[in-house]
Amino acid sequence: MKLPLRGRGLQMLLTDAAPASLTPVVGCFGRPLSLKQLADGAYLIGGGWPARVPDETMNRWEVLDDSVRGSLEIARAVYLPLAARTVARSWAGIEAFTPDDLPVLGPVPGIEGLLVAAGFSGHGFALVPTVGDVLARLALGLDPLVHLWRGLGAARLA
């Protein structure tokens, strides 16, 4: 079975450190934002802002100035203490997307013992603890908590 995954470049920003003040991960409906403060006080800003990927096979990317500006503008509007922070570092990576922007999770039909977790479409980090638990349960023959991933199997994309 071939999964219909496509790569997309997404950027991240890291600010200089500040005193700890933000404990949850902040998202925003209708605006592309993922914001959290790390243990060292720096803020990690994402949210699906595009990066340029000239060649997926070489894992090369370029951060786009418009994406940096847009990302900072939204983050600072949502969380005012970011106005005093500067970007210390920016980078991008290639994320796998499915046609329906939902991950593929579970056994691969027709291949005994093969499990897949792919195509997280920009949501992987938030889902990792649950995905890891589900995959471990499947691999060990324990209750796989199907109610958490029903409808995310590879067969839906065939």
Side-chain angles (χ1 to χ4, degrees):
M1 165 177 257
K2 183 174 180 176
L3 296 175
L5 301 174
R6 62 181 165 78
R8 206 172 116 200
L10 300 178
Q11 77 165 30
M12 297 294 292
L13 305 176
L14 185 70
T15 71
D16 56 337
S21 63
L22 183 66
T23 53
V25 174
V26 175
C28 190
F29 287 108
R31 294 181 182 183
L33 176 66
S34 172
L35 172 64
K36 64 182 158 189
Q37 191 171 27
L38 305 178
D40 68 357
Y43 292 96
L44 185 62
I45 305 169
W49 288 88
R52 185 172 174 279
V53 180
D55 182 357
E56 288 180 26
T57 64
M58 300 298 291
N59 196 22
R60 292 182 322 148
W61 47 266
E62 298 169 14
V63 173
L64 302 173
D65 290 340
D66 286 346
S67 289
V68 171
R69 278 192 296 277
S71 182
L72 280 174
E73 180 180 305
I74 288 174
R76 288 173 173 161
V78 170
Y79 191 66
L80 297 179
L82 283 173
R85 308 278 43 98
T86 60
V87 175
R89 186 171 164 232
S90 61
W91 68 93
I94 299 172
E95 178 80 26
F97 283 73
T98 60
D100 61 5
D101 289 333
L102 296 173
V104 179
L105 182 60
V108 175
I111 305 176
E112 182 68 28
L114 180 61
L115 302 173
V116 66
F120 284 87
S121 306
H123 304 292
F125 292 111
L127 302 175
V128 164
T130 299
V131 169
D133 186 40
V134 166
L135 290 176
R137 289 166 172 277
L138 283 165
L140 296 170
L142 303 174
D143 175 8
L145 306 175
V146 174
H147 65 282
L148 295 177
W149 55 279
R150 184 174 288 118
L152 297 179
R156 81 173 195 279
L157 300 172

